[in-house]
Amino acid sequence: DAKTTQPPSMDCAEGRAANLPCNHSTISGNEYVYWYRQIHSQGPQYIIHGLKNNETNEMASLIITEDRKSSTLILPHATLRDTAVYYCIVRVGRRGGGADGLTFGKGTHLIIQP
Amino acid sequence: NAGVTQTPKFRILKIGQSMTLQCTQDMNHNYMYWYRQDPGMGLKLIYYSVGAGITDKGEVPNGYNVSRSTTEDFPLRLELAAPSQTSVYFCASSPGTGGDEKLFFGSGTQLSVL
């Protein structure tokens, strides 16, 4: 699986859009980009994932560059409860052939300022 | 909606003691995982299972054992606890179909070995 690079920490004002970058320059064609977050002391929570196209759900938007070497997670209106560590993970999609989990790095600690 | 349930939430062990961390899920997921997270670090995979009766080692399996006799339960056994096993342990599950790596995590077990 491709390696990812994220900034260790970021600040964002409450009510503003939080844009979290992730570099994955060695990504291959069949690898998905996943985003999870971990609020202090809790288990990680799935946010969103995508392959090539931009994706949006009720939590966030995922923008993947055309060359797929980087992506951005967007939280459109950040609240204090969005303060958490955000993990960007690149993973080959598997269809019933076994799933040996995801590799979580150190992620980005996003701090939402009041 | 219970999801993934872990017990106990906290435990203190003496060096050399043994214990079992319990994990159960009610989503009928095929795949289950055990991770550990040391302070300030990402998650490391200990063991995983792709179905009842099938388990495999992850990145850091030494000092641990698992079993999967039912779809719902995936206990993690620590034999001869050591201070290096002081960590927060997370259990997770995923459907295991369609190449989807959407993991659902429990709330964790904080273990201290003194």
Side-chain angles (χ1 to χ4, degrees):
Chain A
D1 296 330
K3 182 179 178 179
T4 62
T5 303
Q6 298 178 253
S9 65
M10 292 181 61
D11 288 346
C12 178
E14 187 178 18
R16 299 281 188 150
N19 296 279
L20 291 89
C22 180
N23 286 321
H24 31 78
S25 58
T26 61
I27 193 170
S28 59
N30 62 347
E31 289 183 309
Y32 289 77
V33 179
Y34 287 84
W35 283 85
Y36 282 75
R37 73 179 182 183
Q38 186 176 24
I39 297 170
H40 181 63
S41 299
Q42 298 180 18
Q45 176 190 24
Y46 166 84
I47 301 173
I48 198 167
H49 75 284
L51 182 62
K52 296 180 181 178
N53 300 322
N54 298 337
E55 302 287 345
T56 295
N57 63 21
E58 66 279 4
M59 291 182 68
S61 295
L62 173 61
I63 308 298
I64 303 174
T65 58
E66 192 169 346
D67 63 6
R68 301 186 70 242
K69 293 185 176 182
S70 66
S71 60
T72 301
L73 178 74
I74 301 172
L75 308 178
H77 306 287
T79 71
L80 297 179
R81 287 178 293 181
D82 291 322
T83 291
V85 177
Y86 287 77
Y87 299 98
C88 171
I89 302 164
V90 173
R91 175 66 172 177
V92 174
R94 300 176 190 273
R95 289 192 170 272
D100 53 349
L102 297 170
T103 299
F104 290 78
K106 293 187 178 182
T108 296
H109 187 195
L110 175 66
I111 299 171
I112 306 301
Q113 304 283 1
Chain B
N1 294 335
V4 178
T5 303
Q6 292 184 238
T7 56
K9 292 191 182 302
F10 304 94
R11 184 72 185 269
I12 297 174
L13 285 181
K14 294 182 179 179
I15 295 172
Q17 286 185 320
S18 300
M19 77 164 294
T20 299
L21 281 67
Q22 301 292 343
C23 175
T24 187
Q25 53 94 5
D26 62 359
M27 297 173 283
N28 201 32
H29 285 172
N30 292 318
Y31 298 163
M32 296 188 74
Y33 313 86
W34 274 106
Y35 287 88
R36 61 175 285 174
Q37 185 175 32
D38 298 333
M41 305 297 288
L43 282 75
K44 294 185 178 180
L45 184 65
I46 306 171
Y47 270 95
Y48 67 97
S49 169
V50 299
I54 305 170
T55 63
D56 209 343
K57 296 177 180 178
E59 182 183 357
V60 289
N62 291 342
Y64 306 95
N65 280 300
V66 293
S67 60
R68 184 96 181 269
S69 57
T70 67
T71 299
E72 295 78 20
D73 300 310
F74 191 41
L76 177 71
R77 178 79 177 166
L78 278 72
E79 304 282 2
L80 299 175
S84 60
Q85 294 178 304
T86 293
S87 190
V88 180
Y89 292 83
F90 291 102
C91 179
S93 70
S94 70
T97 58
D100 198 334
E101 296 282 5
K102 190 183 299 183
L103 271 62
F104 297 80
F105 283 82
S107 57
T109 294
Q110 187 169 330
L111 175 67
S112 295
V113 182
L114 305 175

